[in-house]
Amino acid sequence: MRVLVIGSGGREHALLLGLAADPGVDDLHVAPGNAGTRALATTHAVDVASADAVVALARQVAADLVVIGPEVPLVLGVADALRDAGIATFGPSAAAARIEGSKAFAKDVMAAAGVRTAHSEIVDTPAHLDAALDRFGPTWVVKDDGLAAGKGVVVSPDRAAARAHAADLLEAGHPVLLESFLDGPEVSLFCLVDGTDVVPLLPAQDHKRVGDGDQGPNTGGMGAYTPLPWLPEDMVGRIVDEVVRPVAQEMVSRGCPFSGLLYAGLAIGADGPAVVEFNCRFGDPETQAVLALLESPLGEALNATATGTLAGLEPLRWRDGAAVTVVVAAENYPGKPRTGDPITGADQAGVLHAGTTTDADGVVVSSGGRVLAVVGVGDDLARARAAAYERVDGIRLAGAHHRTDIGLAALEGRIAIP
């Protein structure tokens, strides 16, 4: 099987590693890729937001399967164009990708499906902002209603900070979603979904704040670990039955069935799972940890989802133990990152590239905010953490920073469901 992966981040590097290990995959292509993916796949320059360009490339390489990593091309309908061209595609239609592209749409779907989520309100004009803020708190959750790459959210007990973020979004012409705060630890659950067929992957936990101890602003994710020792054994089944399957059924009923990877971000409270958000694709950096433990052929699973045969897929097999991903970020991230700095140590096993490229001399340099995702695997969470941080210690990038506590609260038994 010849597979074309669309995207350039750590998520796509992880997907390529998984696909390369699948004996059923004999030819890999990536567009546009990064400095690390070049060792795994033939690289192509393409505008991933252009449906015409992606379809032309898929035809050029005679792809049997196209896997779309990022959310932007999905929301823009690139998967639709590929399917219209008769090319098997892993990734939802533009209509189904609204589950991520519009939080208001996602809320409407959840309400119709009877899925627990936060109370919310859309504010689309500054004149209504203060009155709306008064109906929320004492912890305010303010979100950009559109795509924000994980950084359009402010969660704060400070009303002034919440108001400032909302005002900035409105000034930029973005509707604001205000939500009630959901208590309880968060879980990321990826599910392969095709219509009403659902196959869950391992649950993971992301670390969104930039600093140790969950301090500082939200980022696109500073690290993740899987599995979750504090999560009850029956919780994945509950999430599928109470959240994912009802949403999948509702989307079928609306004429926009979901096919691809449905990512449920949840808070696990005393009453069970409640949805924080949905994404329409693999999440980053959770993907790097989750796929590190997958023993089943990845290409087979993605192709089954894309071709409507997910119901017949053999149960997924997972390696025992744990995996931890630590993100090495550029100076000033999540603000405008410093780029163009040379990187050493990025060729170690378990180091996945995200924001990297090569300069005119062929030297690997930073090109984005989240530069590397460093993965450690071990027989338990402690060993996985140790393996990841040993690799982080071997990386040199001027001004880089990373969290030192990925998975630590779970290891020390400091995470509990209310």
Side-chain angles (χ1 to χ4, degrees):
M1 181 166 58
R2 184 176 293 108
V3 183
L4 168 62
V5 174
I6 301 298
S8 62
R11 163 186 50 220
E12 287 75 33
H13 196 164
L15 288 166
L16 287 165
L17 280 172
L19 290 165
D22 183 340
V25 176
D26 54 14
D27 192 15
L28 279 173
H29 297 260
V30 63
N34 59 46
T37 60
R38 295 175 186 179
L40 297 166
T42 303
T43 301
H44 304 269
V46 71
D47 178 2
V48 301
S50 168
D52 289 344
V54 173
V55 169
L57 176 61
R59 285 175 168 156
Q60 175 190 325
V61 304
D64 300 302
L65 173 68
V66 177
V67 179
I68 302 177
E71 62 273 25
V72 171
L74 293 169
V75 170
L76 292 177
V78 172
D80 303 78
L82 287 161
R83 291 193 184 96
D84 288 345
I87 301 166
T89 303
F90 183 86
S93 66
R98 288 179 294 166
I99 199 77
E100 177 173 0
S102 169
K103 294 176 179 64
F105 173 79
K107 290 290 186 182
D108 190 57
V109 168
M110 284 186 276
V115 170
R116 292 182 63 242
T117 187
H119 167 68
S120 65
E121 185 175 335
I122 292 285
V123 179
D124 57 9
T125 174
H128 299 156
L129 177 57
D130 285 305
L133 286 168
D134 290 342
R135 292 190 283 272
F136 290 84
T139 297
W140 283 268
V141 181
V142 182
K143 298 182 177 181
D144 187 331
D145 185 47
L147 297 178
K151 293 178 284 185
V153 181
V154 162
V155 180
S156 177
D158 184 340
R159 187 184 188 280
R163 188 190 189 286
H165 182 59
D168 287 345
L169 291 173
L170 290 169
E171 185 177 351
H174 296 207
V176 169
L177 184 79
L178 300 181
E179 284 188 340
S180 57
F181 178 70
L182 292 174
D183 197 13
E186 291 196 7
V187 171
S188 300
L189 183 66
F190 299 163
C191 293
L192 302 174
V193 175
D194 183 43
T196 57
D197 294 319
V198 178
V199 175
L201 279 60
L202 292 180
Q205 187 175 59
D206 186 14
H207 294 59
K208 282 289 188 187
R209 302 280 189 173
V210 71
D212 284 2
D214 294 325
Q215 300 298 307
N218 274 337
T219 71
M222 293 299 293
Y225 67 98
T226 187
L228 310 180
W230 49 268
L231 193 70
E233 288 187 7
D234 67 343
M235 189 55 71
V236 168
R238 284 191 64 183
I239 294 168
V240 170
D241 292 341
E242 297 176 21
V243 175
V244 181
R245 194 165 279 123
V247 164
Q249 180 62 64
E250 175 61 22
M251 294 185 75
V252 168
S253 299
R254 291 178 179 226
C256 54
F258 193 97
S259 177
L261 194 290
L262 186 59
Y263 164 158
L266 310 120
I268 311 298
D271 296 327
V275 175
V276 176
E277 65 177 356
F278 281 111
N279 290 332
C280 64
R281 39 69 193 185
F282 279 99
D284 186 331
E286 299 100 318
T287 299
Q288 292 89 313
V290 170
L291 292 187
L293 297 181
L294 180 65
E295 291 189 333
S296 296
L298 177 61
E300 179 181 319
L302 301 184
N303 192 57
T305 307
T307 58
T309 59
L310 183 60
L313 184 69
E314 291 291 322
L316 297 178
R317 303 186 309 277
W318 299 95
R319 169 181 169 164
D320 291 335
V324 171
T325 302
V326 179
V327 169
V328 176
E331 183 177 344
N332 199 44
Y333 179 79
K336 183 179 180 180
R338 171 173 156 174
T339 59
D341 290 308
I343 308 165
T344 59
D347 55 349
Q348 302 175 73
V351 177
L352 280 61
H353 291 233
T356 67
T357 189
T358 52
D359 65 15
D361 298 320
V363 175
V364 176
V365 298
S366 59
S367 63
R370 292 187 296 168
V371 181
L372 301 169
V374 183
V375 180
V377 175
D379 292 337
D380 53 32
L381 184 55
R383 290 180 174 87
R385 270 180 44 84
Y389 281 108
E390 181 179 359
R391 288 168 175 164
V392 170
D393 288 344
I395 293 167
R396 295 292 177 268
L397 170 62
H401 60 97
H402 65 273
R403 284 184 58 159
T404 66
D405 63 348
I406 304 301
L408 183 60
L411 180 62
E412 295 178 346
R414 293 188 279 113
I415 301 178
I417 296 171

